[in-house]
Structures are given as C-alpha cells and as structure tokens.
C-alpha cells in the first residue's frame, strides 16, 4: 500500500505536496528546482544546508512492517564525507531514529535501520560507487518476514543483510 509519494515538481521554496496522504514536505533554506527524470525535481545545495522535512506520522514509521523506499538521485558534485549526505531519513536524534538512506564514506548508497534504542540493527551497502552526473534509481526495503534489509541501484541484483533486532517505530 503506497503511503507517501512526492513528485517534487513544485516551484522552489514552497511546500512539496504528498500526492497520496498528508505528509507534505516543508522547505528549509530555499530548496530549488531542476529538470528531473519526469518533469521537475528538487535540487539541494549543501552549502545552503537545504532540506525538506515532514512531521513524524504513523504512515512513515517502520517497526515490524514491510517498508520500501524508492527514489531517483543525481549528484552534480560529491563533497567530502559528512553526516549531511543523507538522501532520506526518519530520525531526529541519535536515539530517536528509524531508518536512513544515504551516501556513505565510500560514495556508495547505504540503507541503515535502527532499533528503539537508536543502535543499528540492519545495514546494507550497494556494490557500485557513485559517480557525478549520473542518474541512479535507488530502492531500499525491509522484509519483516525474513528479517532482512535490501538495497538495489539501477535495477541491479539487490544486496541484502539480516537484521539483528527489531526496527524502531518512533
């Protein structure tokens, strides 16, 4: 069941509407717009610390449920490693976090899942390092039946890892 879908086609510096529910994204620091795969896309500038955010909702919680995240990603530059390389996350502090899709220190996509104490219970990393000016379709998911997290980039064979605990549902 689709619980959130953001086209990100709205004009710069405006709320990005959820096409399925009420998980609209608030713009912080004037996220701009650029041509996307289909229509327009959000364009983030790290120097300006731009991001989009929504309040926590039951729709976006993980816990003991199947969850899938799918997104197009494009980098026009790659900065040095930092914690600001998150693509999509549900976290507010080190102990109040559920999942994060991000670009790790090796310039590979990683999907992390956290337990209720904020500690890592599942982690998977893509096989291919990211290059600039290349579009990537990234799909990350949690299979509750098999206690496994998966990550696939550009429809490659998914990489997987077994979770070592129960994912948080904050």
């Amino acid at each position: 069941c689709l619980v959130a879908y953001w086209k990100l086609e709205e004009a710069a510096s405006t709320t990005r509407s959820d096409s399925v529910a009420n998980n609209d994204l608030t713009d912080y620091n004037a996220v701009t717009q650029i041509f996307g795969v289909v229509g327009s896309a959000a364009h983030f500038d790290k120097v300006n610390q731009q991001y989009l955010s929504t309040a926590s909702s039951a729709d976006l919680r993980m816990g003991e449920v199947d969850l899938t995240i799918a997104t197009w990603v494009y980098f026009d530059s790659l900065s040095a490693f930092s914690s600001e390389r998150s693509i999509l996350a549900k976290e507010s502090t080190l102990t109040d976090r559920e999942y994060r899709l991000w670009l790790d220190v090796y310039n590979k996509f990683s999907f992390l899942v956290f337990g209720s104490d904020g500690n890592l219970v599942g982690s998977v990393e893509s096989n291919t390092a990211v290059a600039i000016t290349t579009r990537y379709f990234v799909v990350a998911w949690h299979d509750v039946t098999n206690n496994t997290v998966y990550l696939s980039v550009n429809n490659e064979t998914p990489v997987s890892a077994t979770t070592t605990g129960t994912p948080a549902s904050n």
Side-chain angles (χ1 to χ4, degrees):
C1 168
L2 187 63
V3 296
Y5 176 61
W6 300 280
K7 294 180 182 179
L8 303 180
E9 291 184 328
E10 294 84 358
S13 301
T14 62
T15 297
R16 297 340 196 261
S17 298
D18 179 354
S19 299
V20 174
N22 294 316
N23 299 303
D24 295 345
L25 300 172
T26 301
D27 183 312
Y28 291 89
N29 300 325
V31 175
T32 58
Q33 195 176 33
I34 195 168
F35 290 108
V37 174
V38 177
S40 298
H43 183 255
F44 302 92
D45 183 350
K46 182 181 178 193
V47 172
N48 295 328
Q49 298 179 340
Q50 297 170 329
Y51 65 98
L52 300 170
S53 180
T54 188
S56 180
S57 74
D59 291 345
L60 304 176
R61 290 188 183 130
M62 186 174 220
E64 281 297 307
V65 298
D66 293 327
L67 174 84
T68 302
I69 298 165
T71 186
W72 283 99
V73 182
Y74 176 93
F75 297 95
D76 50 20
S77 67
L78 291 172
S79 60
F81 174 73
S82 72
S83 61
E84 289 84 36
R85 291 170 35 136
S86 288
I87 296 162
L88 185 144
K90 185 165 186 313
E91 59 185 318
S92 59
T93 67
L94 289 176
T95 56
D96 183 17
R97 56 189 183 171
E98 293 182 35
Y99 51 87
R100 180 190 314 155
L101 176 64
W102 74 311
L103 190 63
D104 70 16
V105 66
Y106 305 106
N107 286 338
K108 294 181 178 184
F109 293 106
S110 290
F111 181 49
L112 310 176
V113 177
F114 303 95
S116 60
D117 59 0
N119 290 321
L120 195 63
V121 296
S123 173
V124 65
E125 178 186 70
S126 65
N127 290 320
T128 306
V130 169
I132 59 171
T133 66
T134 302
R135 294 191 191 282
Y136 296 94
F137 185 64
V138 182
V139 181
W141 68 98
H142 172 245
D143 178 340
V144 69
T145 304
N146 295 309
N147 295 318
T148 305
V149 289
Y150 297 87
L151 182 64
S152 176
V153 178
N154 291 343
N155 206 29
E156 292 177 345
T157 302
V159 289
S160 65
T162 303
T163 56
T164 59
T166 302
S169 179
N170 300 327

